[in-house]
Amino acid sequence: MEGYKHTELGWIPDDWDCLELSHITQKERPVSYGIVQTGLPVKDGIKCIRVLDIVNGKIDDDNLITTSHKISNAYKRTVLQDGDLVMALRGKIGELAKATKSHEGYNLTRGVALVAPKANYDSEYLKQQMSSPLFRDYLMGHLNGSALKELAINVIRKIKVPIPKSKSEQLKIADVLSTWDKSIETLTQLIAAKQQLKKGLMQQLLTGKKRLPGFKGKWEVKKIKQLGKIESGGTPDTKIVEYWDGQIDWITPTDITGLNGYRFIEHTQRKITNAGLKNSSATLIPANSVIICTRATIGDCAINLKPITTNQGFKTIIPKDVNYMFLYYKMLSIKDVMIERANGSTFLEISKTDFENLEVLVPPTESEQTVIGSFLEKLDEEIDLLKKQHESLKLQKQGLMQQLLTGKKRVKV
DNA sequence: GACAATATTAGAGGCATCCA
DNA sequence: TGGATGCCTCTAATATTGTC
């Protein structure tokens, strides 16, 4: 390949280097982890950064703790300066953030490492390089520890990084990738704003405070049991293998939390057989019912797209003269009420009696319910679309990283 | 329907050992 | 001998069904 040379990281441009991280970082401030022992906060002490303070590529300044400082060489060399990178060695392993001027003088705790680039290496380029899937895969393949998975500092120091000799090329690559980051961040904020808007509209539309055009008449107070047939679920005997791994989907709270707010459920992790269904309290629920978690993660809901069963942590409403989409949003909106009514010492659970006697306000006509349900569903569809775009942008950025950070695709400087 | 625990994960603390 | 660091321990938070 003309213009390229072969290194242990593969082919890189002739005017790039393949360097150990220890050669990219300052000699007097080598890659090291913090030794600050947090203990009780010290008034007017030194602020220090823990793993949990590294959030979404930034240092979260809100909950930083303060501690007294030790005067030692180890302490001194992890005192933060503008442009330094900090990386989690435990927990969110590999999570990175760039320190700004406001973090100067802060220190690090035991689970966080300092990466301080030399003047001729750009820290934003290095941050992008260290966030790349290749880099992360390498880290995950080199974890130490048994009780607690952790990165050894020497592993990080010895990682080889492809880097342009020209700082302006580093800056340009970092600039291109940061632009993508900004687009992703903008979309994240847009999704959050849309979700907030939906929350506000739900409060208004589902209580009758705001009416959609063309609807009148007083909303009625109804008990949940008046809105449909309430079914409970059950677990077939787990010791009898014939009851399991059949064709019938069987919902547990994990399946619902795994939907991440998506409305519909079609497949579940665990399945039961006809014999399992017959010999347990599980019941087969018809499609388009509203399934509500009444235990542990109380109030989480979903609509089943096909006949399905649940364990006993759910109550299902098979709607009668009520629009199922309206009912779904209505149930979501009373999550807090359900939690309030729940009992239990180890974890909360709302009983069937309490659940079916909960009172809710409903519009007088099914057509108004349908319009409200469709309106909110449309909002959710818009959010779904934004989430898809968000995922797609992230994938595109990963592809670009692969090209730009290996020199396969060059930028014009 | 009422009631009870456990597994997993994340992260802070700190001991033991190595080495300059 | 004291600083550096690897790694173990402990705690807190979180997530989950199963049994009587």
Side-chain angles (χ1 to χ4, degrees):
Chain A
M1 282 173 78
E2 203 177 328
Y4 282 78
K5 59 187 172 192
H6 195 258
T7 68
E8 58 192 278
L9 292 173
W11 292 90
I12 62 167
D14 279 336
D15 53 349
W16 282 39
D17 283 323
C18 172
L19 296 174
E20 272 186 13
L21 201 58
S22 58
H23 293 140
I24 294 172
T25 52
Q26 299 166 25
K27 212 168 179 184
E28 63 283 7
R29 299 171 71 231
V31 177
S32 327
Y33 40 67
I35 59 160
V36 174
Q37 300 286 342
T38 49
L40 290 171
V42 175
K43 203 177 166 225
D44 302 325
I46 302 292
K47 284 197 173 166
C48 60
I49 292 156
R50 300 162 296 178
V51 172
L52 54 98
D53 298 317
I54 304 174
V55 183
N56 297 327
K58 289 182 186 147
I59 295 169
D60 178 11
D61 297 299
D62 292 344
N63 301 303
L64 294 183
I65 54 160
T66 51
T67 176
S68 62
H69 68 280
K70 280 184 191 174
I71 303 298
S72 70
N73 288 334
Y75 174 85
K76 280 184 209 156
R77 69 187 198 192
T78 53
V79 173
L80 279 185
Q81 293 180 10
D82 185 15
D84 287 345
L85 301 178
V86 292
M87 184 166 87
L89 300 170
R90 302 168 168 184
K92 301 180 279 189
I93 292 166
E95 186 89 10
L96 277 166
K98 194 169 118 184
T100 62
K101 209 162 177 55
S102 66
H103 302 118
E104 281 185 352
Y106 290 12
N107 216 302
L108 310 174
T109 58
R110 183 67 185 71
V112 179
L114 169 85
V115 178
K118 288 178 186 164
N120 50 331
Y121 297 116
D122 177 53
S123 62
E124 188 58 43
Y125 172 86
L126 207 53
K127 187 182 168 208
Q128 293 289 350
Q129 192 62 266
M130 291 169 73
S131 313
S132 70
L134 266 176
F135 197 96
R136 290 286 173 96
D137 286 351
Y138 181 87
L139 293 184
M140 291 308 166
H142 289 80
L143 299 182
N144 291 337
S146 50
L148 184 106
K149 292 289 173 204
E150 184 179 43
L151 270 175
I153 209 76
N154 257 331
V155 169
I156 306 171
R157 284 176 182 157
K158 288 195 172 128
I159 294 180
K160 295 252 174 146
V161 178
I163 192 159
K165 286 180 178 151
S166 141
K167 191 167 180 186
S168 45
E169 186 172 354
Q170 297 167 27
L171 285 163
K172 185 72 192 173
I173 293 172
D175 189 44
V176 172
L177 293 173
S178 302
T179 306
W180 280 77
D181 283 340
K182 275 176 206 144
S183 303
I184 293 168
E185 177 65 22
T186 306
L187 213 46
T188 308
Q189 286 170 1
L190 192 60
I191 292 169
K194 208 74 174 182
Q195 281 170 331
Q196 198 57 37
L197 172 76
K198 185 188 121 190
K199 202 175 162 191
L201 280 170
M202 276 175 74
Q203 272 172 0
Q204 301 275 310
L205 290 174
L206 293 168
T207 52
K209 279 182 192 152
K210 186 186 182 101
R211 304 291 286 270
L212 289 170
F215 294 105
K216 285 183 192 153
K218 206 172 168 212
W219 282 41
E220 298 161 356
V221 176
K222 286 196 172 171
K223 289 186 172 168
I224 288 181
K225 63 183 173 189
Q226 292 175 279
L227 304 176
K229 190 178 176 199
I230 315 294
E231 291 283 7
S232 296
T235 306
D237 193 330
T238 49
K239 293 190 283 293
I240 302 178
V241 288
E242 289 79 29
Y243 292 171
W244 296 94
D245 297 326
Q247 299 294 317
I248 304 168
D249 287 283
W250 182 74
I251 306 177
T252 68
T254 323
D255 295 308
I256 301 292
T257 45
L259 293 175
N260 291 321
Y262 187 60
R263 308 173 287 296
F264 302 107
I265 185 160
E266 197 167 11
H267 301 293
T268 57
Q269 279 178 23
R270 298 177 75 184
K271 296 178 199 300
I272 60 171
T273 60
N274 276 320
L277 175 63
K278 208 170 164 186
N279 294 290
S280 72
S281 316
T283 44
L284 196 62
I285 298 151
N288 295 336
S289 300
V290 180
I291 298 160
I292 301 116
C293 191
T294 48
R295 194 191 262 191
T297 49
I298 293 177
D300 286 355
C301 301
I303 298 166
N304 56 320
L305 291 172
K306 64 177 193 189
I308 217 162
T309 58
T310 75
N311 77 2
Q312 58 274 52
F314 296 90
K315 300 287 171 280
T316 298
I317 311 173
I318 304 167
K320 193 181 153 205
D321 305 327
V322 180
N323 174 263
Y324 70 89
M325 195 52 79
F326 170 83
L327 191 56
Y328 165 77
Y329 287 110
K330 189 78 206 176
M331 288 302 109
L332 268 188
S333 73
I334 61 163
K335 181 174 181 159
D336 291 345
V337 180
M338 285 192 237
I339 293 171
E340 236 168 65
R341 289 288 184 86
N343 297 307
S345 53
T346 320
F347 55 77
L348 296 174
E349 180 173 15
I350 182 163
S351 72
K352 191 181 181 193
T353 315
D354 283 343
F355 176 75
E356 61 189 13
N357 284 311
L358 281 177
E359 290 181 334
V360 289
L361 266 173
V362 290
T365 60
E366 199 176 334
S367 59
E368 186 173 0
Q369 297 166 15
T370 308
V371 172
I372 294 173
S374 306
F375 183 87
L376 291 172
E377 196 193 3
K378 224 171 207 99
L379 264 180
D380 260 336
E381 281 169 359
E382 284 174 26
I383 294 169
D384 291 343
L385 190 67
L386 287 174
K387 281 183 178 169
K388 269 189 195 153
Q389 287 172 0
H390 190 255
E391 274 313 300
S392 159
L393 262 188
K394 284 207 289 194
L395 277 176
Q396 287 175 47
K397 193 210 155 189
Q398 277 191 11
L400 198 61
M401 283 172 110
Q402 195 115 14
Q403 298 284 312
L404 290 180
L405 295 171
T406 54
K408 287 196 180 85
K409 189 172 186 166
R410 303 295 293 271
V411 290
K412 279 188 185 159
V413 180

